[in-house]
mmCIF file with all atom_site columns, all heavy atoms in Angstrom:
data_model
loop_
_atom_site.group_PDB
_atom_site.id
_atom_site.type_symbol
_atom_site.label_atom_id
_atom_site.label_alt_id
_atom_site.label_comp_id
_atom_site.label_asym_id
_atom_site.label_entity_id
_atom_site.label_seq_id
_atom_site.pdbx_PDB_ins_code
_atom_site.Cartn_x
_atom_site.Cartn_y
_atom_site.Cartn_z
_atom_site.occupancy
_atom_site.B_iso_or_equiv
_atom_site.pdbx_formal_charge
_atom_site.auth_seq_id
_atom_site.auth_comp_id
_atom_site.auth_asym_id
_atom_site.auth_atom_id
_atom_site.pdbx_PDB_model_num
ATOM 1   N N   . GLY Q 1 16 ? 62.808 -2.393 110.899 1.00 92.00 ? 42 GLY Q N   1
ATOM 2   C CA  . GLY Q 1 16 ? 64.226 -2.382 110.512 1.00 92.00 ? 42 GLY Q CA  1
ATOM 3   C C   . GLY Q 1 16 ? 64.814 -1.060 110.943 1.00 92.00 ? 42 GLY Q C   1
ATOM 4   O O   . GLY Q 1 16 ? 64.075 -0.129 111.251 1.00 92.00 ? 42 GLY Q O   1
ATOM 5   N N   . ILE Q 1 17 ? 66.147 -0.995 110.937 1.00 93.00 ? 43 ILE Q N   1
ATOM 6   C CA  . ILE Q 1 17 ? 66.804 0.235  111.373 1.00 93.00 ? 43 ILE Q CA  1
ATOM 7   C C   . ILE Q 1 17 ? 66.373 1.434  110.518 1.00 93.00 ? 43 ILE Q C   1
ATOM 8   O O   . ILE Q 1 17 ? 66.290 2.568  111.003 1.00 93.00 ? 43 ILE Q O   1
ATOM 9   C CB  . ILE Q 1 17 ? 68.351 0.059  111.394 1.00 93.00 ? 43 ILE Q CB  1
ATOM 10  C CG1 . ILE Q 1 17 ? 69.060 1.331  111.862 1.00 93.00 ? 43 ILE Q CG1 1
ATOM 11  C CG2 . ILE Q 1 17 ? 68.900 -0.376 110.069 1.00 93.00 ? 43 ILE Q CG2 1
ATOM 12  C CD1 . ILE Q 1 17 ? 68.758 1.725  113.275 1.00 93.00 ? 43 ILE Q CD1 1
ATOM 13  N N   . ALA Q 1 18 ? 66.016 1.161  109.246 1.00 95.00 ? 44 ALA Q N   1
ATOM 14  C CA  . ALA Q 1 18 ? 65.602 2.265  108.367 1.00 95.00 ? 44 ALA Q CA  1
ATOM 15  C C   . ALA Q 1 18 ? 64.281 2.894  108.804 1.00 95.00 ? 44 ALA Q C   1
ATOM 16  O O   . ALA Q 1 18 ? 63.861 3.911  108.240 1.00 95.00 ? 44 ALA Q O   1
ATOM 17  C CB  . ALA Q 1 18 ? 65.508 1.774  106.928 1.00 95.00 ? 44 ALA Q CB  1
ATOM 18  N N   . ALA Q 1 19 ? 63.609 2.289  109.803 1.00 96.00 ? 45 ALA Q N   1
ATOM 19  C CA  . ALA Q 1 19 ? 62.317 2.833  110.247 1.00 96.00 ? 45 ALA Q CA  1
ATOM 20  C C   . ALA Q 1 19 ? 62.447 4.292  110.676 1.00 96.00 ? 45 ALA Q C   1
ATOM 21  O O   . ALA Q 1 19 ? 61.491 5.059  110.571 1.00 96.00 ? 45 ALA Q O   1
ATOM 22  C CB  . ALA Q 1 19 ? 61.751 1.979  111.387 1.00 96.00 ? 45 ALA Q CB  1
ATOM 23  N N   . TYR Q 1 20 ? 63.658 4.676  111.121 1.00 95.00 ? 46 TYR Q N   1
ATOM 24  C CA  . TYR Q 1 20 ? 63.791 6.074  111.551 1.00 95.00 ? 46 TYR Q CA  1
ATOM 25  C C   . TYR Q 1 20 ? 63.599 7.022  110.360 1.00 95.00 ? 46 TYR Q C   1
ATOM 26  O O   . TYR Q 1 20 ? 63.191 8.161  110.518 1.00 95.00 ? 46 TYR Q O   1
ATOM 27  C CB  . TYR Q 1 20 ? 65.151 6.312  112.239 1.00 95.00 ? 46 TYR Q CB  1
ATOM 28  C CG  . TYR Q 1 20 ? 66.325 6.478  111.298 1.00 95.00 ? 46 TYR Q CG  1
ATOM 29  C CD1 . TYR Q 1 20 ? 66.708 7.751  110.861 1.00 95.00 ? 46 TYR Q CD1 1
ATOM 30  C CD2 . TYR Q 1 20 ? 67.033 5.377  110.838 1.00 95.00 ? 46 TYR Q CD2 1
ATOM 31  C CE1 . TYR Q 1 20 ? 67.777 7.893  109.981 1.00 95.00 ? 46 TYR Q CE1 1
ATOM 32  C CE2 . TYR Q 1 20 ? 68.091 5.510  109.973 1.00 95.00 ? 46 TYR Q CE2 1
ATOM 33  C CZ  . TYR Q 1 20 ? 68.458 6.774  109.539 1.00 95.00 ? 46 TYR Q CZ  1
ATOM 34  O OH  . TYR Q 1 20 ? 69.495 6.927  108.667 1.00 95.00 ? 46 TYR Q OH  1
ATOM 35  N N   . LYS Q 1 21 ? 63.869 6.515  109.134 1.00 96.00 ? 47 LYS Q N   1
ATOM 36  C CA  . LYS Q 1 21 ? 63.695 7.362  107.946 1.00 96.00 ? 47 LYS Q CA  1
ATOM 37  C C   . LYS Q 1 21 ? 62.218 7.558  107.602 1.00 96.00 ? 47 LYS Q C   1
ATOM 38  O O   . LYS Q 1 21 ? 61.876 8.390  106.760 1.00 96.00 ? 47 LYS Q O   1
ATOM 39  C CB  . LYS Q 1 21 ? 64.376 6.724  106.729 1.00 96.00 ? 47 LYS Q CB  1
ATOM 40  C CG  . LYS Q 1 21 ? 65.892 6.765  106.739 1.00 96.00 ? 47 LYS Q CG  1
ATOM 41  C CD  . LYS Q 1 21 ? 66.379 6.380  105.340 1.00 96.00 ? 47 LYS Q CD  1
ATOM 42  C CE  . LYS Q 1 21 ? 67.861 6.113  105.317 1.00 96.00 ? 47 LYS Q CE  1
ATOM 43  N NZ  . LYS Q 1 21 ? 68.268 5.505  104.031 1.00 96.00 ? 47 LYS Q NZ  1
ATOM 44  N N   . SER Q 1 22 ? 61.325 6.768  108.219 1.00 97.00 ? 48 SER Q N   1
ATOM 45  C CA  . SER Q 1 22 ? 59.888 6.905  107.932 1.00 97.00 ? 48 SER Q CA  1
ATOM 46  C C   . SER Q 1 22 ? 59.379 8.280  108.345 1.00 97.00 ? 48 SER Q C   1
ATOM 47  O O   . SER Q 1 22 ? 58.425 8.801  107.763 1.00 97.00 ? 48 SER Q O   1
ATOM 48  C CB  . SER Q 1 22 ? 59.090 5.842  108.673 1.00 97.00 ? 48 SER Q CB  1
ATOM 49  O OG  . SER Q 1 22 ? 59.631 4.589  108.409 1.00 97.00 ? 48 SER Q OG  1
ATOM 50  N N   . ALA Q 1 23 ? 60.018 8.851  109.378 1.00 97.00 ? 49 ALA Q N   1
ATOM 51  C CA  . ALA Q 1 23 ? 59.598 10.173 109.828 1.00 97.00 ? 49 ALA Q CA  1
ATOM 52  C C   . ALA Q 1 23 ? 59.774 11.186 108.691 1.00 97.00 ? 49 ALA Q C   1
ATOM 53  O O   . ALA Q 1 23 ? 58.863 11.960 108.380 1.00 97.00 ? 49 ALA Q O   1
ATOM 54  C CB  . ALA Q 1 23 ? 60.418 10.584 111.050 1.00 97.00 ? 49 ALA Q CB  1
ATOM 55  N N   . GLU Q 1 24 ? 60.933 11.123 108.053 1.00 97.00 ? 50 GLU Q N   1
ATOM 56  C CA  . GLU Q 1 24 ? 61.191 12.028 106.921 1.00 97.00 ? 50 GLU Q CA  1
ATOM 57  C C   . GLU Q 1 24 ? 60.269 11.695 105.749 1.00 97.00 ? 50 GLU Q C   1
ATOM 58  O O   . GLU Q 1 24 ? 59.783 12.579 105.049 1.00 97.00 ? 50 GLU Q O   1
ATOM 59  C CB  . GLU Q 1 24 ? 62.683 11.898 106.524 1.00 97.00 ? 50 GLU Q CB  1
ATOM 60  C CG  . GLU Q 1 24 ? 63.087 12.623 105.259 1.00 97.00 ? 50 GLU Q CG  1
ATOM 61  C CD  . GLU Q 1 24 ? 62.849 14.140 105.286 1.00 97.00 ? 50 GLU Q CD  1
ATOM 62  O OE1 . GLU Q 1 24 ? 62.613 14.690 106.377 1.00 97.00 ? 50 GLU Q OE1 1
ATOM 63  O OE2 . GLU Q 1 24 ? 62.893 14.766 104.199 1.00 97.00 ? 50 GLU Q OE2 1
ATOM 64  N N   . LEU Q 1 25 ? 59.988 10.388 105.580 1.00 98.00 ? 51 LEU Q N   1
ATOM 65  C CA  . LEU Q 1 25 ? 59.102 9.986  104.471 1.00 98.00 ? 51 LEU Q CA  1
ATOM 66  C C   . LEU Q 1 25 ? 57.704 10.575 104.662 1.00 98.00 ? 51 LEU Q C   1
ATOM 67  O O   . LEU Q 1 25 ? 57.085 11.062 103.711 1.00 98.00 ? 51 LEU Q O   1
ATOM 68  C CB  . LEU Q 1 25 ? 59.050 8.459  104.385 1.00 98.00 ? 51 LEU Q CB  1
ATOM 69  C CG  . LEU Q 1 25 ? 58.181 7.875  103.281 1.00 98.00 ? 51 LEU Q CG  1
ATOM 70  C CD1 . LEU Q 1 25 ? 58.548 8.419  101.909 1.00 98.00 ? 51 LEU Q CD1 1
ATOM 71  C CD2 . LEU Q 1 25 ? 58.268 6.345  103.264 1.00 98.00 ? 51 LEU Q CD2 1
ATOM 72  N N   . VAL Q 1 26 ? 57.185 10.521 105.896 1.00 98.00 ? 52 VAL Q N   1
ATOM 73  C CA  . VAL Q 1 26 ? 55.857 11.108 106.171 1.00 98.00 ? 52 VAL Q CA  1
ATOM 74  C C   . VAL Q 1 26 ? 55.871 12.575 105.742 1.00 98.00 ? 52 VAL Q C   1
ATOM 75  O O   . VAL Q 1 26 ? 54.958 13.066 105.076 1.00 98.00 ? 52 VAL Q O   1
ATOM 76  C CB  . VAL Q 1 26 ? 55.487 10.978 107.658 1.00 98.00 ? 52 VAL Q CB  1
ATOM 77  C CG1 . VAL Q 1 26 ? 54.242 11.786 107.987 1.00 98.00 ? 52 VAL Q CG1 1
ATOM 78  C CG2 . VAL Q 1 26 ? 55.279 9.518  108.033 1.00 98.00 ? 52 VAL Q CG2 1
ATOM 79  N N   . ARG Q 1 27 ? 56.944 13.277 106.113 1.00 97.00 ? 53 ARG Q N   1
ATOM 80  C CA  . ARG Q 1 27 ? 57.056 14.708 105.786 1.00 97.00 ? 53 ARG Q CA  1
ATOM 81  C C   . ARG Q 1 27 ? 57.044 14.924 104.260 1.00 97.00 ? 53 ARG Q C   1
ATOM 82  O O   . ARG Q 1 27 ? 56.347 15.782 103.733 1.00 97.00 ? 53 ARG Q O   1
ATOM 83  C CB  . ARG Q 1 27 ? 58.344 15.253 106.392 1.00 97.00 ? 53 ARG Q CB  1
ATOM 84  C CG  . ARG Q 1 27 ? 58.218 16.595 107.073 1.00 97.00 ? 53 ARG Q CG  1
ATOM 85  C CD  . ARG Q 1 27 ? 59.570 17.070 107.585 1.00 97.00 ? 53 ARG Q CD  1
ATOM 86  N NE  . ARG Q 1 27 ? 60.626 16.982 106.589 1.00 97.00 ? 53 ARG Q NE  1
ATOM 87  C CZ  . ARG Q 1 27 ? 60.770 17.824 105.558 1.00 97.00 ? 53 ARG Q CZ  1
ATOM 88  N NH1 . ARG Q 1 27 ? 59.943 18.823 105.420 1.00 97.00 ? 53 ARG Q NH1 1
ATOM 89  N NH2 . ARG Q 1 27 ? 61.747 17.661 104.697 1.00 97.00 ? 53 ARG Q NH2 1
ATOM 90  N N   . GLN Q 1 28 ? 57.771 14.090 103.561 1.00 96.00 ? 54 GLN Q N   1
ATOM 91  C CA  . GLN Q 1 28 ? 57.849 14.208 102.090 1.00 96.00 ? 54 GLN Q CA  1
ATOM 92  C C   . GLN Q 1 28 ? 56.483 13.946 101.446 1.00 96.00 ? 54 GLN Q C   1
ATOM 93  O O   . GLN Q 1 28 ? 56.104 14.603 100.493 1.00 96.00 ? 54 GLN Q O   1
ATOM 94  C CB  . GLN Q 1 28 ? 58.853 13.201 101.538 1.00 96.00 ? 54 GLN Q CB  1
ATOM 95  C CG  . GLN Q 1 28 ? 60.278 13.427 101.959 1.00 96.00 ? 54 GLN Q CG  1
ATOM 96  C CD  . GLN Q 1 28 ? 61.003 14.367 101.001 1.00 96.00 ? 54 GLN Q CD  1
ATOM 97  O OE1 . GLN Q 1 28 ? 60.496 14.691 99.939  1.00 96.00 ? 54 GLN Q OE1 1
ATOM 98  N NE2 . GLN Q 1 28 ? 62.186 14.794 101.388 1.00 96.00 ? 54 GLN Q NE2 1
ATOM 99  N N   . LEU Q 1 29 ? 55.783 12.931 101.976 1.00 97.00 ? 55 LEU Q N   1
ATOM 100 C CA  . LEU Q 1 29 ? 54.466 12.594 101.412 1.00 97.00 ? 55 LEU Q CA  1
ATOM 101 C C   . LEU Q 1 29 ? 53.490 13.752 101.639 1.00 97.00 ? 55 LEU Q C   1
ATOM 102 O O   . LEU Q 1 29 ? 52.711 14.113 100.752 1.00 97.00 ? 55 LEU Q O   1
ATOM 103 C CB  . LEU Q 1 29 ? 53.918 11.303 102.041 1.00 97.00 ? 55 LEU Q CB  1
ATOM 104 C CG  . LEU Q 1 29 ? 54.694 10.025 101.719 1.00 97.00 ? 55 LEU Q CG  1
ATOM 105 C CD1 . LEU Q 1 29 ? 54.243 8.875  102.613 1.00 97.00 ? 55 LEU Q CD1 1
ATOM 106 C CD2 . LEU Q 1 29 ? 54.504 9.630  100.244 1.00 97.00 ? 55 LEU Q CD2 1
ATOM 107 N N   . LEU Q 1 30 ? 53.548 14.337 102.847 1.00 96.00 ? 56 LEU Q N   1
ATOM 108 C CA  . LEU Q 1 30 ? 52.671 15.484 103.146 1.00 96.00 ? 56 LEU Q CA  1
ATOM 109 C C   . LEU Q 1 30 ? 53.006 16.655 102.228 1.00 96.00 ? 56 LEU Q C   1
ATOM 110 O O   . LEU Q 1 30 ? 52.119 17.335 101.732 1.00 96.00 ? 56 LEU Q O   1
ATOM 111 C CB  . LEU Q 1 30 ? 52.821 15.908 104.604 1.00 96.00 ? 56 LEU Q CB  1
ATOM 112 C CG  . LEU Q 1 30 ? 52.309 14.921 105.660 1.00 96.00 ? 56 LEU Q CG  1
ATOM 113 C CD1 . LEU Q 1 30 ? 52.635 15.440 107.063 1.00 96.00 ? 56 LEU Q CD1 1
ATOM 114 C CD2 . LEU Q 1 30 ? 50.806 14.707 105.522 1.00 96.00 ? 56 LEU Q CD2 1
ATOM 115 N N   . GLU Q 1 31 ? 54.286 16.852 102.008 1.00 93.00 ? 57 GLU Q N   1
ATOM 116 C CA  . GLU Q 1 31 ? 54.732 17.945 101.150 1.00 93.00 ? 57 GLU Q CA  1
ATOM 117 C C   . GLU Q 1 31 ? 54.176 17.788 99.731  1.00 93.00 ? 57 GLU Q C   1
ATOM 118 O O   . GLU Q 1 31 ? 53.896 18.758 99.057  1.00 93.00 ? 57 GLU Q O   1
ATOM 119 C CB  . GLU Q 1 31 ? 56.255 17.961 101.100 1.00 93.00 ? 57 GLU Q CB  1
ATOM 120 C CG  . GLU Q 1 31 ? 56.830 19.353 101.002 1.00 93.00 ? 57 GLU Q CG  1
ATOM 121 C CD  . GLU Q 1 31 ? 58.268 19.343 101.501 1.00 93.00 ? 57 GLU Q CD  1
ATOM 122 O OE1 . GLU Q 1 31 ? 59.131 18.997 100.691 1.00 93.00 ? 57 GLU Q OE1 1
ATOM 123 O OE2 . GLU Q 1 31 ? 58.487 19.659 102.680 1.00 93.00 ? 57 GLU Q OE2 1
ATOM 124 N N   . GLN Q 1 32 ? 54.010 16.530 99.321  1.00 90.00 ? 58 GLN Q N   1
ATOM 125 C CA  . GLN Q 1 32 ? 53.455 16.265 97.989  1.00 90.00 ? 58 GLN Q CA  1
ATOM 126 C C   . GLN Q 1 32 ? 51.929 16.343 97.990  1.00 90.00 ? 58 GLN Q C   1
ATOM 127 O O   . GLN Q 1 32 ? 51.294 16.032 96.985  1.00 90.00 ? 58 GLN Q O   1
ATOM 128 C CB  . GLN Q 1 32 ? 53.874 14.858 97.522  1.00 90.00 ? 58 GLN Q CB  1
ATOM 129 C CG  . GLN Q 1 32 ? 55.350 14.722 97.339  1.00 90.00 ? 58 GLN Q CG  1
ATOM 130 C CD  . GLN Q 1 32 ? 55.709 14.454 95.881  1.00 90.00 ? 58 GLN Q CD  1
ATOM 131 O OE1 . GLN Q 1 32 ? 54.907 14.661 94.983  1.00 90.00 ? 58 GLN Q OE1 1
ATOM 132 N NE2 . GLN Q 1 32 ? 56.926 14.006 95.645  1.00 90.00 ? 58 GLN Q NE2 1
ATOM 133 N N   . GLY Q 1 33 ? 51.342 16.679 99.130  1.00 88.00 ? 59 GLY Q N   1
ATOM 134 C CA  . GLY Q 1 33 ? 49.891 16.900 99.164  1.00 88.00 ? 59 GLY Q CA  1
ATOM 135 C C   . GLY Q 1 33 ? 49.078 15.726 99.666  1.00 88.00 ? 59 GLY Q C   1
ATOM 136 O O   . GLY Q 1 33 ? 47.846 15.791 99.697  1.00 88.00 ? 59 GLY Q O   1
ATOM 137 N N   . ALA Q 1 34 ? 49.737 14.611 100.039 1.00 93.00 ? 60 ALA Q N   1
ATOM 138 C CA  . ALA Q 1 34 ? 48.987 13.411 100.448 1.00 93.00 ? 60 ALA Q CA  1
ATOM 139 C C   . ALA Q 1 34 ? 48.397 13.574 101.849 1.00 93.00 ? 60 ALA Q C   1
ATOM 140 O O   . ALA Q 1 34 ? 48.897 14.360 102.657 1.00 93.00 ? 60 ALA Q O   1
ATOM 141 C CB  . ALA Q 1 34 ? 49.908 12.205 100.441 1.00 93.00 ? 60 ALA Q CB  1
ATOM 142 N N   . THR Q 1 35 ? 47.337 12.823 102.131 1.00 94.00 ? 61 THR Q N   1
ATOM 143 C CA  . THR Q 1 35 ? 46.880 12.603 103.492 1.00 94.00 ? 61 THR Q CA  1
ATOM 144 C C   . THR Q 1 35 ? 47.505 11.282 103.914 1.00 94.00 ? 61 THR Q C   1
ATOM 145 O O   . THR Q 1 35 ? 47.417 10.304 103.168 1.00 94.00 ? 61 THR Q O   1
ATOM 146 C CB  . THR Q 1 35 ? 45.350 12.488 103.547 1.00 94.00 ? 61 THR Q CB  1
ATOM 147 O OG1 . THR Q 1 35 ? 44.800 13.646 102.927 1.00 94.00 ? 61 THR Q OG1 1
ATOM 148 C CG2 . THR Q 1 35 ? 44.841 12.388 104.974 1.00 94.00 ? 61 THR Q CG2 1
ATOM 149 N N   . VAL Q 1 36 ? 48.148 11.258 105.089 1.00 97.00 ? 62 VAL Q N   1
ATOM 150 C CA  . VAL Q 1 36 ? 48.924 10.078 105.460 1.00 97.00 ? 62 VAL Q CA  1
ATOM 151 C C   . VAL Q 1 36 ? 48.388 9.467  106.757 1.00 97.00 ? 62 VAL Q C   1
ATOM 152 O O   . VAL Q 1 36 ? 48.138 10.181 107.732 1.00 97.00 ? 62 VAL Q O   1
ATOM 153 C CB  . VAL Q 1 36 ? 50.418 10.444 105.644 1.00 97.00 ? 62 VAL Q CB  1
ATOM 154 C CG1 . VAL Q 1 36 ? 51.232 9.203  106.035 1.00 97.00 ? 62 VAL Q CG1 1
ATOM 155 C CG2 . VAL Q 1 36 ? 50.982 11.067 104.378 1.00 97.00 ? 62 VAL Q CG2 1
ATOM 156 N N   . ARG Q 1 37 ? 48.184 8.174  106.736 1.00 97.00 ? 63 ARG Q N   1
ATOM 157 C CA  . ARG Q 1 37 ? 47.930 7.400  107.949 1.00 97.00 ? 63 ARG Q CA  1
ATOM 158 C C   . ARG Q 1 37 ? 49.013 6.344  108.041 1.00 97.00 ? 63 ARG Q C   1
ATOM 159 O O   . ARG Q 1 37 ? 49.492 5.863  107.009 1.00 97.00 ? 63 ARG Q O   1
ATOM 160 C CB  . ARG Q 1 37 ? 46.561 6.720  107.907 1.00 97.00 ? 63 ARG Q CB  1
ATOM 161 C CG  . ARG Q 1 37 ? 45.417 7.673  108.158 1.00 97.00 ? 63 ARG Q CG  1
ATOM 162 C CD  . ARG Q 1 37 ? 44.077 6.966  108.150 1.00 97.00 ? 63 ARG Q CD  1
ATOM 163 N NE  . ARG Q 1 37 ? 43.033 7.892  108.525 1.00 97.00 ? 63 ARG Q NE  1
ATOM 164 C CZ  . ARG Q 1 37 ? 42.648 8.142  109.774 1.00 97.00 ? 63 ARG Q CZ  1
ATOM 165 N NH1 . ARG Q 1 37 ? 43.194 7.474  110.778 1.00 97.00 ? 63 ARG Q NH1 1
ATOM 166 N NH2 . ARG Q 1 37 ? 41.714 9.026  110.032 1.00 97.00 ? 63 ARG Q NH2 1
ATOM 167 N N   . VAL Q 1 38 ? 49.385 5.995  109.256 1.00 98.00 ? 64 VAL Q N   1
ATOM 168 C CA  . VAL Q 1 38 ? 50.516 5.076  109.435 1.00 98.00 ? 64 VAL Q CA  1
ATOM 169 C C   . VAL Q 1 38 ? 50.080 3.820  110.172 1.00 98.00 ? 64 VAL Q C   1
ATOM 170 O O   . VAL Q 1 38 ? 49.336 3.893  111.163 1.00 98.00 ? 64 VAL Q O   1
ATOM 171 C CB  . VAL Q 1 38 ? 51.648 5.767  110.222 1.00 98.00 ? 64 VAL Q CB  1
ATOM 172 C CG1 . VAL Q 1 38 ? 52.836 4.817  110.402 1.00 98.00 ? 64 VAL Q CG1 1
ATOM 173 C CG2 . VAL Q 1 38 ? 52.110 7.041  109.500 1.00 98.00 ? 64 VAL Q CG2 1
#
Side-chain angles (χ1 to χ4, degrees):
I43 180 64
Y46 79 92
K47 288 192 192 170
S48 308
E50 172 59 14
L51 180 54
V52 170
R53 224 182 49 75
Q54 295 271 351
L55 293 168
L56 293 175
E57 214 158 83
Q58 296 245 16
T61 306
V62 180
R63 284 182 175 272
V64 180

